[in-house]
């Protein structure tokens, strides 16, 4: 609780810490309530701090050189934000280095994530049926000189 309060500066967590006693949070119900408060405060801090996501993307794309970003979740929310960041912030740099990045969401891009390729059957062109046009033309023999009678 202290670490989360230190990171977020959350007033509700400050109140919890002021009235803290080990006995107060010993029951399962109280621990669950504390966990709920921690979750709410951490989510509120994350939503109120979009700069952290921008900083995280910079670390991923610039420092670590991530080429494939895969979002595990029901919808491509973070992938959409990452695509916009790549387009506006890294597109020129990536083009200059012929660097290609992809953002994939597990819910909709599982084939690309697992490199599943739908095989397309290779069909050979059927041989043309024999016809009069394709048969070799009969060769006429050259006239042979015959002795005179």
């Amino acid at each position: 609780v202290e670490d989360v309060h230190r990171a977020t500066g959350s007033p509700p967590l400050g109140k919890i810490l002021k009235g803290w006693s080990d006995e107060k949070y010993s029951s399962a119900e109280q621990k669950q309530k504390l966990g709920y408060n921690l979750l709410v405060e951490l989510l509120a801090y994350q939503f109120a701090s979009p700069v952290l996501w921008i900083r995280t993307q910079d670390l991923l794309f610039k420092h670590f050189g991530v080429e494939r970003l895969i979002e595990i979740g029901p919808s491509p929310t973070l992938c959409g934000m990452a695509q916009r960041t790549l387009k506006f912030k890294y597109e020129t740099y990536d083009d200059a280095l012929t660097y290609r990045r992809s953002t994939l969401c597990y819910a909709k891009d599982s084939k690309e994530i697992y490199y599943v390729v739908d095989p397309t059957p290779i069909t050979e062109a059927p041989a043309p049926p024999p016809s009069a046009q394709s048969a070799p033309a009969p060769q006429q023999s050259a006239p042979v000189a015959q002795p005179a009678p």
Side-chain angles (χ1 to χ4, degrees):
V1 177
E2 290 173 335
D3 291 340
V4 174
H5 180 260
R6 205 174 306 117
T8 63
S10 162
L13 291 181
K15 287 180 184 177
I16 289 172
L17 284 173
K18 281 183 183 175
W20 184 268
S21 71
D22 289 337
E23 297 84 36
K24 186 175 182 179
Y25 293 99
S26 61
S27 73
E29 184 181 332
Q30 288 299 326
K31 287 179 184 178
Q32 186 176 7
K33 212 180 236 186
L34 178 62
Y36 174 80
N37 285 327
L38 284 169
L39 178 64
V40 167
E41 292 306 311
L42 283 169
L43 287 173
Y45 178 70
Q46 181 64 35
F47 288 133
S49 305
V51 175
L52 293 178
W53 174 239
I54 293 168
R55 194 178 323 154
T56 301
Q57 289 180 95
D58 282 339
L59 281 172
L60 290 172
F61 297 129
K62 200 180 213 176
H63 182 70
F64 294 114
V66 169
E67 293 180 29
R68 286 182 102 205
L69 178 71
I70 300 173
E71 178 177 355
I72 306 297
S75 65
T77 306
L78 297 178
C79 280
M81 288 189 272
Q83 285 172 340
R84 285 191 294 277
T85 299
L86 287 171
K87 180 174 176 57
F88 295 117
K89 200 169 183 180
Y90 295 98
E91 187 174 49
T92 306
Y93 176 78
D94 289 350
D95 285 347
L97 297 175
T98 62
Y99 203 55
R100 298 289 167 235
R101 302 180 201 252
S102 62
T103 57
L104 304 168
C105 176
Y106 178 78
K108 70 173 198 152
D109 301 314
S110 61
K111 285 185 177 181
E112 290 94 301
I113 291 170
Y114 292 111
Y115 298 103
V116 175
V117 179
D118 290 332
T120 54
I122 300 173
T123 57
E124 294 183 18
S131 67
Q133 289 180 341
S134 64
Q139 294 185 2
Q140 294 180 359
S141 56
V144 176
Q146 300 202 0

